[in-house]
Amino acid sequence: MKLLVLGATGKTGRAIVTDALSRGHQVTILARNPDRAAGLRPVRIIQGDARDPAAVARAVAGQDAVVSSLGTPVSPFCEVTLLSDATRILVHEMRRAGVACLVAITGMGAGDSAGHGGFFFDRVFKPAMLRKVYEDKDRQEALIHESGLDWTILRPSVLNDKSSRGTVRVLTDLRGFHGGTIARRDVAQILLDEVETPQLQGTMPLITW
């Protein structure tokens, strides 16, 4: 499968690329700084910004599916628009290129998963540090939801760099759930499973250990 990965140079993106290559997929990444893609081989690298329509068009062309693991720095005071700006362009270019499959990562606390992160995350960390980031995650999810693409949105609980457990809970009913964590490697695994054999299309489940 020909697979475009956005956000490939971040920790979660690297886990996705590594797993995708091990499964035999042909991976393209879009990177502002190709030097940050060191170790991600063999991949096809398109140099450019996810907010540049021309660069995104080059990266999307000829793909079978697109994965978005875009992240943004914590910004408690400044407005954040990177996620929604990039997603708006991505959706447009995917439609133009006739690429339908999009699997995106947002996070626990986005959309109707708000209030299920546990006391510290919900009452302290998110409002103090992540409020503007999550406002943009909500805009990002709305754009994907309304895109008309064959989309899935995965909302991981708090990410860690531990070894994969291989067992992940996929939750659409969050009653009784408050907080959790998951390894980036497990996020990569369930995301690529979804790309290969869609089971969650049109849904926004929370994924956690």
Side-chain angles (χ1 to χ4, degrees), residues 72-153:
T72 187
V74 172
S75 181
F77 305 115
C78 299
E79 290 301 320
V80 175
T81 63
L82 184 151
L83 301 174
S84 56
D85 288 346
T87 299
R88 186 176 294 106
I89 291 166
L90 175 64
V91 165
H92 178 73
E93 296 303 336
M94 288 181 67
R95 286 172 173 165
R96 286 185 59 188
V99 180
C101 178
L102 172 61
V103 182
I105 296 171
T106 56
M108 176 179 67
D112 59 8
S113 70
H116 292 275
F119 180 84
F120 179 77
F121 183 86
D122 292 337
R123 302 293 182 87
V124 181
F125 190 60
K126 183 182 173 185
M129 301 298 294
L130 298 177
R131 180 174 62 84
K132 293 184 180 296
V133 171
Y134 268 82
E135 287 172 354
D136 202 35
K137 286 182 185 289
D138 289 346
R139 291 190 290 269
Q140 178 188 22
E141 288 194 348
L143 287 165
I144 295 171
H145 186 268
E146 296 162 6
S147 68
L149 299 173
D150 298 334
W151 58 266
T152 305
I153 295 172

Side-chain angles (χ1 to χ4, degrees), residues 28-50:
T28 297
I29 68 173
L30 178 65
R32 285 178 297 173
N33 181 0
D35 291 341
R36 292 192 61 196
L40 296 178
R41 298 289 189 275
V43 298
R44 171 174 171 250
I45 300 174
I46 303 293
Q47 184 171 5
D49 193 289

Side-chain angles (χ1 to χ4, degrees), residues 1-2 17-27 196:
M1 180 179 289
K2 294 180 179 179
V17 171
T18 299
D19 195 348
L21 291 172
S22 74
R23 298 180 187 216
H25 296 304
Q26 299 177 45
V27 178
E196 293 171 353

